[in-house]
Amino acid sequence: MATQNQHDDKSKMFWRLAQDHYEKGTTPFLCMNLIMYTVGHLIEGLLAARGRHPGAPVRGVPHADRGALLRKHLVGEGLLTDADADRYGEMVVLRDTFIDGGTQDRPFIESYMALARPLIDRLQAVAARS
Amino acid sequence: MAILKDHLALAETLHADMTGAHRRGEWPIVVDAGFYTVFHGMEAVNATECRDTYSFADAADVLETILVKNGFSEEFASDYRYLFYFRRGAIYGAHVPSDGQVGDYVRRVERCRAAIQSYLGTWTDRLPAGTGKGAAK
C-alpha cells in the first residue's frame, strides 16, 4: 500500500499531466483517466493518513470502496461534505460508462474537468492542512 | 462496451498516444495508453463474437477460457497479465518504473498489438465493410 506522501506525490504528478494534456487537447479518454487518478490519489492520501486503504475486486483495480471510505472517514470527520462525495460518485459513474455509445469527445472532457476541478481544489486544500 | 470499429479506433489512437509519450518520457501515459491499447484490441476481438466485458476480471476470464483456445498464445496471456498488474502498481500504487522497465512494457504492448492485428486479419472477410484489418488508423 502506498503511503500518504507517495499518494500526494502521485496526485501532483497526475494533476500536472492532466492540466497539460487537457490544454493540449490530448485524447479525451486519457485526460479523463489523468483527472480521475489525481482525485483518487488525493483521496487515498487522506485515507492512508488514517490507516485506511481501498480494496480491489478480484483481478480488478483498488478503488472499489474508495467512495464508501471517503463518506465514512472524510465526510464523517467533517473534512468533506456530502456534496463533495456526490461529486466524486458522479465522476466514477461517468467514467465507468465511458464507452457506452462511443468514445469521449472534447465537450465530454470539458464537462468532466468542470466537474472535477472544484473537488480537486477542495481535496488539495484539505491535504495541505493535514 | 462498444462495437468493433470503435474499439479498434480507440486502440489505435491510444497506441499513437503511447508512442508519443514514450518519446517524451511521460511514463504514466505510456503505461495507461499502452494497457488500454491492448485492452481495447481484446475488446475488438470480443466484439467479433458479440461479447462485452464489464470488468477486468471478465476480460481475464475471457482471455484465458476463450481467446487462448481460439488461437491467442500463452505468451499473449502472460503479457496481458504483466501489463495489467504493472499498470495497477504504477498508476494506482507506489511504484515508479525505470526507463528500462517502461521500454520492456512497450515491447510487450507491441507484441500483443501485433497478435491482435494478426487475429483480426483472419476475420476480415467476415466483418462488416470498413471494420476489418487496417480500417482504424
Side-chain angles (χ1 to χ4, degrees), chain A residues 1-2 6-7 10 13-14 17 20-21 24 26-27 29-30 33-34 37 41 44 56-63 66 95-96 98-103, chain B residues 1-2 6-7 10 13-14 17-18 24 26-29 32-33 36 39-40 56-57 60-61 64 81 84-85 87-96:
Chain A
M1 297 295 177
Q6 288 166 330
H7 282 302
K10 287 219 166 167
M13 176 188 73
F14 280 119
L17 286 169
D20 184 31
H21 284 278
K24 287 178 181 167
T26 298
T27 305
F29 173 83
L30 287 175
N33 284 356
L34 293 167
Y37 301 149
H41 281 289
E44 290 188 34
V58 175
R59 309 187 83 170
V61 291
H63 63 139
R66 191 191 287 146
R95 181 165 180 252
D96 279 357
F98 77 93
I99 206 70
D100 291 344
T103 53
Chain B
M1 291 162 277
D6 287 343
H7 282 301
L10 182 56
T13 296
L14 292 171
D17 288 326
M18 178 194 76
R24 295 190 302 273
E26 292 178 329
W27 72 259
I29 293 177
D32 210 39
Y36 279 112
F39 180 82
H40 283 287
F56 288 133
D61 178 57
E64 292 161 7
R81 280 190 289 266
F84 176 82
Y85 288 109
R87 172 178 173 270
R88 196 168 82 167
I91 298 289
Y92 290 90
H95 305 289
V96 175

Side-chain angles (χ1 to χ4, degrees), chain B residues 48 117-134:
Chain B
T48 65
Q117 289 181 327
S118 174
Y119 182 89
L120 287 172
T122 68
W123 278 80
T124 302
D125 60 346
R126 286 180 273 179
L127 296 174
T131 58
K133 185 179 181 183

Side-chain angles (χ1 to χ4, degrees), chain A residues 31-52:
Chain A
C31 289
M32 176 189 66
N33 284 356
L34 293 167
I35 293 166
M36 177 52 89
Y37 301 149
T38 302
V39 170
H41 281 289
L42 279 165
I43 293 170
E44 290 188 34
L46 293 168
L47 290 173
R50 288 154 179 80
R52 303 294 192 276

